[in-house]
């Protein structure tokens, strides 16, 4: 199942402005990869950011949102960001359901 992880932080806790956040952010993708099996993450589809919006968007293929929540805590995302986990579909899958 695909999930979008939307993590929003304040300008004060932005990795561009905050040393503690920067240290976590530099390691976050590596930590996600290292913990993927533990939290049943099949694949990291994409990891994007909007610097001026102070938002990260991570697309994951995972079993469920509860494991993603635990992953966000384990790797430190939730220590600097408000996290929203949303089930998502590909455009082609949505079209198939409509036809």
């Amino acid at each position: 199942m695909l999930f979008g992880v939307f993590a929003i932080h304040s300008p004060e806790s932005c990795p561009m402005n905050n040393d503690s956040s920067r240290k976590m952010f530099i390691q976050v993708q590596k930590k996600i990869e290292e913990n993927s099996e533990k939290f049943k993450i099949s694949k990291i589809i994409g990891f994007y950011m909007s610097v001026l919006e102070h938002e990260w968007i991570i697309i994951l293929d995972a079993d469920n949102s509860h494991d993603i929540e635990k992953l966000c805590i384990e790797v430190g995302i939730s220590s600097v960001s408000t996290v929203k986990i949303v089930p998502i579909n590909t455009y082609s899958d949505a079209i198939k359901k409509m036809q």
Side-chain angles (χ1 to χ4, degrees):
M1 214 176 153
L2 294 179
F3 292 91
V5 179
F6 301 86
I8 299 173
H9 54 267
S10 69
E12 296 79 22
S13 66
C14 181
M16 300 290 270
N17 306 320
N18 182 295
D19 288 338
S20 167
S21 295
R22 183 178 304 116
K23 288 175 188 170
M24 184 278 302
F25 182 72
I26 289 169
Q27 295 295 315
V28 75
Q29 186 164 353
K30 178 182 172 193
K31 286 184 176 183
I32 290 171
E33 291 167 357
E34 291 173 350
N35 285 280
S36 288
E37 188 174 335
K38 177 180 177 181
F39 294 105
K40 302 175 191 150
I41 308 300
S42 304
K43 186 176 182 183
I44 301 170
I45 306 297
F47 194 155
Y48 310 93
M49 59 218 48
S50 175
V51 175
L52 296 179
E53 295 293 325
H54 300 283
E55 183 169 7
W56 309 339
I57 301 130
I58 309 167
I59 310 299
L60 300 173
D61 187 348
D63 283 355
N64 64 69
S65 60
H66 295 287
D67 287 330
I68 296 171
E69 175 185 51
K70 292 174 193 171
L71 173 73
C72 289
I73 294 166
E74 178 82 18
V75 303
I77 295 171
S78 64
S79 68
V80 297
S81 298
T82 301
V83 179
K84 180 167 64 170
I85 302 164
V86 180
I88 58 175
N89 290 293
T90 63
Y91 177 78
S92 61
D93 284 346
I95 292 298
K96 286 177 191 173
K97 290 176 185 176
M98 292 179 205
Q99 295 175 331

